[in-house]
Amino acid sequence: MRALVYHGPGQISWDTVTDPAIEDPADAVVRVDATTVCGADLHILRGDLPEVKPGTILGHEAVGEVMEVGSDVHHLRPGDQVIVSSVSACGHCPACRDTMRGQCREGGGWILGNLINGTQAEFVRVPFADFSTHRRP
């Protein structure tokens, strides 16, 4: 697939990369229909976020179609149209239960396009899919 890949401060390119796959039973793979550039992407490009490693696909919000779900995903099915949240949430930790999903302490928070590959691609792996996507009306 094609994706916008960060190669270091001031360096991005559209590259051919491996399609994402289910890595955890709570994952979904979404075909990206539309995505957007956020100010955070521009901070990454300037080198302001050193935790973003070269080789990371940028982007952390999108709309698209669910292509595949892991065995622990109960609220989505292939074919569902979804909004992929910019914040991933486990749904179970105290912060998530208190609706402070950006403070997720179980591997969520702002991870797409930051700590894991993001949405500026043809497909994206969405962790915690039941809590990190919303069905499109």
Side-chain angles (χ1 to χ4, degrees), residues 32-113:
V32 175
D33 293 334
T35 186
T36 187
V37 174
C38 175
D41 296 313
L42 301 176
H43 285 287
I44 293 167
L45 185 56
R46 283 198 310 249
D48 295 340
L49 294 150
E51 66 269 18
V52 180
K53 303 298 181 216
T56 301
I57 298 169
L58 295 180
H60 50 273
E61 47 214 9
V63 294
E65 179 181 345
V66 175
M67 305 305 292
E68 183 180 359
V69 296
S71 59
D72 286 349
V73 177
H74 303 291
H75 301 294
L76 298 173
R77 301 283 176 261
D80 285 349
Q81 299 293 313
V82 294
I83 300 165
V84 178
S85 176
S86 61
V87 174
S88 299
C90 76
H92 305 292
C93 72
C96 286
R97 286 194 313 267
D98 288 341
T99 67
M100 296 185 301
R101 294 176 178 95
Q103 306 301 316
C104 178
R105 296 293 179 239
E106 296 299 322
W110 175 41
I111 59 174
L112 287 173

